[in-house]
Amino acid sequence: MDLFSIWHLLIILAVVILLFGTSKVRNIGSDLGGAIKSFRSAMKEEDAANGEEEAAASPTANGGRVIEGRASAADGPKAKGGARARKG
């Protein structure tokens, strides 16, 4: 037989209700629900704050430009000074 079958859980629930009463059990349930709700909202706020920080760290967020392309040897600083000698 399982350690926690449905009958075990029902007996434990009945004992808790007898000891604390229905009002305390109801308050515990609402307090637990409120705690879970506030935890979820705090996690969403933290995720949103992390997303804003990452967006601020990107190069395009500060007005910078991202240029995509490929550099070649002719684009280097020596190409401006004159023709480059080629071996042939």
Side-chain angles (χ1 to χ4, degrees), residues 32-87:
L32 182 62
I36 291 172
K37 187 176 181 179
S38 65
F39 176 75
R40 286 184 181 172
S41 66
M43 291 300 292
K44 286 181 183 178
E45 289 174 5
E46 183 176 327
D47 287 344
N50 286 341
E52 290 173 2
E53 288 176 4
E54 289 175 4
S58 70
T60 58
N62 296 330
R65 294 184 340 184
V66 176
I67 301 173
E68 294 182 16
R70 192 169 76 179
S72 66
D75 295 336
K78 292 181 181 178
K80 292 180 183 176
R84 207 171 164 185
R86 294 185 183 181
K87 294 181 181 179

Side-chain angles (χ1 to χ4, degrees), residues 7-48:
W7 296 110
H8 289 114
L9 296 175
L10 289 175
I11 291 172
I12 291 171
L13 180 64
V15 169
V16 167
I17 289 174
L18 286 174
L19 288 176
F20 297 111
T22 56
S23 64
K24 294 254 187 192
V25 173
R26 190 178 315 124
N27 289 341
I28 291 172
S30 65
D31 290 343
L32 182 62
I36 291 172
K37 187 176 181 179
S38 65
F39 176 75
R40 286 184 181 172
S41 66
M43 291 300 292
K44 286 181 183 178
E45 289 174 5
E46 183 176 327
D47 287 344

